[in-house]
Amino acid sequence: MKHNFYKGTVKKMLSIGLVAMFTVTAFAGCAKSNADTKNPTIAPTQSASSEDAEIAYSAGTYSATVTGMHEMTVTVTVSDTAITDIQIDHKETPGVGEPAIKSISAEIIEIQGLAVDAVSGATLTSNAIIEGVTECLKQAGLSESEINLLLTVKKITEQAEDQELTADVLVIGAGGAGMAAAVTANQAGKTVIVIEKASKMGGNTILSGGALNAVDEGSETAIANKDSVENHYNQTFEGGDKKGDSVLVHTLVDNAWPGVEWLKSLGMEFFDGVFTVTGGMWPRAHKPVEPEGTGFFKTYQNYIDNHTGITMVYNTTAKEFIMEDGVVTGVVCTGETGNTVTAKATNGIILATGGFGRNVEMRMKYNEISKKWPTLDETIPSTNTSGITGDGIIMAEAIGANLVQMENIQLLPLGDPETGSLSGNIEHAVESRIFINLEGNRFVNEGGRRDDMTLALFEQPETKMYIVMDSDTYQKGNEINNFGESIADLVSAGRALKAETLEELAGLMNVPADNLIASVEEYNRYCKGGDLEGQTDKFGRTLFTDTDGVNNGINNGPYYAAIRVPTVHHTMGGVQINEQAQIIDTNGNVITGLFAAGEVTGGIHGTNRLGGNALTDTVVFGRIAGTNAAAFER
């Protein structure tokens, strides 16, 4: 995807330490139904004078390759005195990285400087764009001191007027759970305001692989896979070491398939069949047609576009709840310019702000309780969007909400070594791949629990591993992974390795060829047609071949590999809720008027969450919260 911003020439005159000055036109009044609140209008009010020193570029067009969530190419055109054009070829996630692509580049040209704030929820993309532009300007002849000068040039905005907003139902957080709740409440006939600190809806859900666990009881698919709702319950409950609330687990699995049917009724499309997602323990994950989690939000946005009554308020951060006579009636927020936005509900309020995977201080604090992970400091990356910092948990605790199982933090062994994201993960399903350490050996049950796999990875050399697979699901060599990335592009960028033989692949991986070949040969013995077919291997693995037999051993070249590291993925602890999605206080009582859904809640998944259950959680409890908040009367 290519974005082209701005053509023309802008005179560039600056002096050391001078800040380009801009202001905003104040705005006020309640937001209208079915429309985003308007951003302030930016108008220049002061600029550097012509007497200031001029920065001189070597006119031309320059390119740099950088990595946000995905690899991108930044191309900058400059005249002798100005940045005149920025183009970015990218595959950033729509709704997450894409808004940063547009706004960061436009602002750099507008202010002719580099002191641009990262877009909330898209820090990796924002920083990558600034890095790419900086590299291009260096190619255009700028010195380090001139680059440092541009890093002081920023837009200054005046604070907008305070706002007061009112609707029937108020939702805090526009991720998967928040949007499921908002649409459900609106379907019940209520007006809804959704407060979101980022610039678009999406949260962590939009960055996910899209897998959603659900069992269509008695269907041909369930029968073929020997699956049932009860099996889903048992694996979820036991997979969390029986620490999850059994009532909530039953609520999750019992309402999973109705949630899929609800999404389909809204127009969301899924591929036929199911698969086993990493840590999912069983083939029951439904895969959306749209890549990553984008299909959920295209569906929710389409609903908003075709119905009245849902108002999205972006770039606005909730700070504290409003309590009146023991009832939660609203929330005080900080708007984009630092103004106060007060939002109130005549019915219920839903907290759906996500977990705290990006809050290093919080995850280190709670890891000290269990001491499960060797470290969760800043050296351990996260798959999460940058806005997932535990804000809602902190807010709820301040009004007496009970926090449960905060020490239960999930890591995945599938992080990109540069960003920690799931981008670049080449696997399609558990049955399609194995994990190989830097010595060329398998070391864990790759079909097991996520915590077991990641703890095993921490014990490997350099805490790194390779995903290794054959071409069973990459038969043409240009198919995409679960994150919308072409395997050919990943290989071209050096993020994945490709070889015609295992021996050649071992050379690219820099691991002993004999070890890799022996590992693959031993693994294949347990796959369909192998002499140990149907048996459990020494690591405890039982998932070797999927139902339709597409993934059947690692034996068909070309072969692929991609390096991965541990990454913080999900925080299972949060505010305690009941099966009605009502938040419970420290005395065991319901906090009146306040509901919660998604990763902000705790007690559902126990010590370890099954892969594919998080999106189920967002849909199931988002719908429950939306229904009950709409029905709540003061």
Side-chain angles (χ1 to χ4, degrees):
M1 187 178 299
K2 180 177 288 188
H3 287 290
N4 182 2
F5 309 89
Y6 194 83
K7 292 287 184 180
T9 303
V10 180
K11 187 67 177 175
K12 178 73 176 66
M13 305 293 283
L14 293 169
S15 62
I16 299 297
L18 182 65
V19 178
M21 301 292 290
F22 297 86
T23 188
V24 293
T25 301
F27 69 108
C30 293
K32 302 299 183 183
S33 293
N34 199 34
D36 293 353
T37 56
K38 300 299 183 181
N39 289 326
T41 301
I42 307 298
T45 59
Q46 181 176 337
S47 61
S49 72
S50 59
E51 297 177 358
D52 297 324
E54 180 176 314
I55 286 184
Y57 300 99
S58 177
T61 299
Y62 305 90
S63 294
T65 299
V66 292
T67 301
M69 292 300 296
H70 306 277
E71 190 173 77
M72 66 179 78
T73 299
V74 178
T75 302
V76 178
T77 300
V78 296
S79 66
D80 292 342
T81 59
I83 303 168
T84 60
D85 181 46
I86 298 175
Q87 296 185 34
I88 302 176
D89 285 324
H90 72 96
K91 294 182 179 179
E92 297 297 275
T93 304
V96 180
E98 197 167 44
I101 296 287
K102 297 177 181 178
S103 64
I104 295 292
S105 300
E107 188 171 332
I108 288 173
I109 291 174
E110 178 186 12
I111 68 173
Q112 292 292 302
L114 297 173
V116 178
D117 291 334
V119 173
S120 179
T123 301
L124 284 174
T125 303
S126 302
N127 290 342
I129 296 168
I130 296 169
E131 176 188 353
V133 173
T134 299
E135 176 57 34
C136 290
L137 297 183
K138 289 180 179 178
Q139 295 174 33
L142 264 59
S143 65
E144 287 294 334
S145 62
E146 288 172 317
I147 292 293
N148 289 336
L149 168 61
L150 294 186
L151 289 170
T152 68
V153 180
K154 64 183 300 182
K155 179 168 62 181
I156 295 179
T157 58
E158 291 182 355
Q159 185 169 298
E161 292 183 9
D162 293 343
Q163 287 182 290
E164 293 186 1
L165 310 175
T166 302
D168 296 329
V169 173
L170 174 62
V171 179
I172 308 170
M179 293 312 302
V183 170
T184 300
N186 184 253
Q187 288 180 318
K190 301 298 182 179
T191 59
V192 182
I193 289 174
V194 183
I195 301 291
E196 171 56 49
K197 72 177 183 180
S199 59
K200 289 288 182 181
M201 65 177 72
N204 271 347
T205 298
I206 204 167
L207 298 179
S208 71
L212 189 160
N213 284 342
V215 180
D216 181 8
E217 188 78 69
S219 66
E220 291 183 6
T221 298
I223 292 171
N225 289 308
K226 299 179 182 179
D227 202 9
S228 65
V229 172
E230 188 63 20
N231 189 37
H232 189 190
Y233 168 82
N234 290 333
Q235 290 188 325
T236 297
F237 189 57
E238 294 169 7
D241 295 319
K242 301 182 179 180
K243 298 297 184 182
D245 182 321
S246 62
V247 173
L248 297 181
V249 177
H250 271 301
T251 303
L252 177 76
V253 301
D254 291 348
N255 292 281
W257 179 248
V260 173
E261 291 183 308
W262 176 73
L263 288 167
K264 289 180 177 180
S265 74
L266 294 176
M268 187 167 173
E269 296 181 310
F270 293 85
F271 287 108
D272 293 334
V274 293
F275 71 105
T276 310
V277 67
T278 296
M281 311 298 290
W282 208 259
R284 65 171 65 94
H286 299 264
K287 183 177 181 180
V289 170
E290 298 287 345
E292 301 176 273
T294 58
F296 294 90
F297 298 99
K298 287 186 177 181
T299 300
Y300 296 141
Q301 186 63 56
N302 183 65
Y303 178 89
I304 293 172
D305 292 342
N306 289 281
H307 297 79
T308 60
I310 298 180
T311 300
M312 303 300 299
V313 183
Y314 293 115
N315 300 306
T316 300
T317 303
K319 293 295 186 180
E320 60 181 334
F321 288 111
I322 300 170
M323 298 282 291
E324 299 178 77
D325 299 324
V327 179
V328 180
T329 59
V331 65
V332 178
C333 313
T334 300
E336 185 175 11
T337 65
N339 58 313
T340 297
V341 178
T342 303
K344 302 192 76 173
T346 56
N347 295 106
I349 296 173
I350 300 163
L351 182 64
T353 51
F356 56 94
R358 281 281 185 173
N359 188 321
V360 174
E361 182 179 350
M362 281 183 72
R363 69 194 201 193
M364 288 179 65
K365 170 186 174 181
Y366 290 110
N367 186 50
E368 281 299 306
I369 297 174
S370 65
K371 299 188 183 299
K372 181 170 186 173
W373 304 106
T375 181
L376 291 182
D377 65 14
E378 65 279 355
T379 65
I380 306 299
S382 175
T383 62
N384 291 190
T385 180
S386 58
I388 306 300
T389 52
D391 304 5
I393 295 173
I394 295 169
M395 285 172 52
E397 185 180 27
I399 60 168
N402 192 37
L403 305 187
V404 294
Q405 301 184 1
M406 293 292 286
E407 70 276 15
N408 294 337
I409 300 171
Q410 183 175 84
L411 275 68
L412 275 179
L414 303 175
D416 180 280
E418 297 297 324
T419 66
S421 75
L422 296 178
S423 168
N425 181 5
I426 62 175
E427 69 179 20
H428 283 118
V430 166
E431 295 89 347
S432 69
R433 75 335 180 224
I434 57 176
F435 298 161
I436 295 292
N437 65 17
L438 300 188
E439 295 172 341
N441 299 315
R442 286 181 65 208
F443 59 92
V444 72
N445 170 14
E446 301 95 339
R449 291 168 45 140
R450 290 176 165 186
D451 53 353
D452 289 342
M453 289 186 285
T454 311
L455 285 168
L457 179 54
F458 270 106
E459 297 176 355
Q460 304 310 305
E462 299 183 32
T463 321
K464 294 179 181 178
M465 70 172 196
Y466 283 95
I467 296 174
V468 173
M469 59 189 295
D470 68 4
S471 55
D472 283 349
T473 57
Y474 290 120
Q475 295 184 10
K476 295 180 181 179
N478 61 355
E479 295 89 345
I480 62 172
N481 62 6
N482 292 335
F483 302 92
E485 301 164 310
S486 159
I487 188 65
D489 288 344
L490 291 173
V491 171
S492 176
R495 300 179 67 199
L497 307 173
K498 177 182 179 180
E500 294 301 320
T501 67
L502 288 172
E503 184 174 23
E504 181 186 352
L505 186 67
L508 296 175
M509 295 165 60
N510 195 29
V511 304
D514 290 346
N515 289 356
L516 176 62
I517 293 170
S519 294
V520 171
E521 289 178 346
E522 179 65 15
Y523 168 79
N524 285 342
R525 295 180 66 192
Y526 295 86
C527 298
K528 188 174 181 180
D531 62 315
L532 297 176
E533 180 183 354
Q535 298 186 39
T536 302
D537 73 5
K538 65 180 181 180
F539 298 107
R541 178 165 177 161
T542 59
L543 296 171
F544 294 95
T545 306
D546 53 17
T547 306
D548 57 14
V550 172
N551 296 312
N552 181 32
I554 299 175
N555 40 37
N556 298 312
Y559 301 92
Y560 296 93
I563 199 161
R564 301 277 99 180
V565 300
T567 185
V568 174
H569 185 56
H570 193 98
T571 51
M572 283 81 73
V575 298
Q576 183 181 6
I577 60 170
N578 60 21
E579 67 271 26
Q580 301 302 319
Q582 295 169 299
I583 294 182
I584 307 302
D585 69 16
T586 54
N587 295 315
N589 301 314
V590 167
I591 297 180
T592 306
L594 188 59
F595 304 81
E599 198 174 343
V600 73
T601 67
I604 299 172
H605 305 286
T607 60
N608 173 69
R609 179 179 63 76
L610 262 62
N613 273 358
L615 297 189
T616 309
D617 186 349
T618 68
V619 176
V620 168
F621 285 97
R623 293 180 71 205
I624 291 171
T627 298
N628 292 328
F632 174 75
E633 295 181 357
R634 302 199 184 285

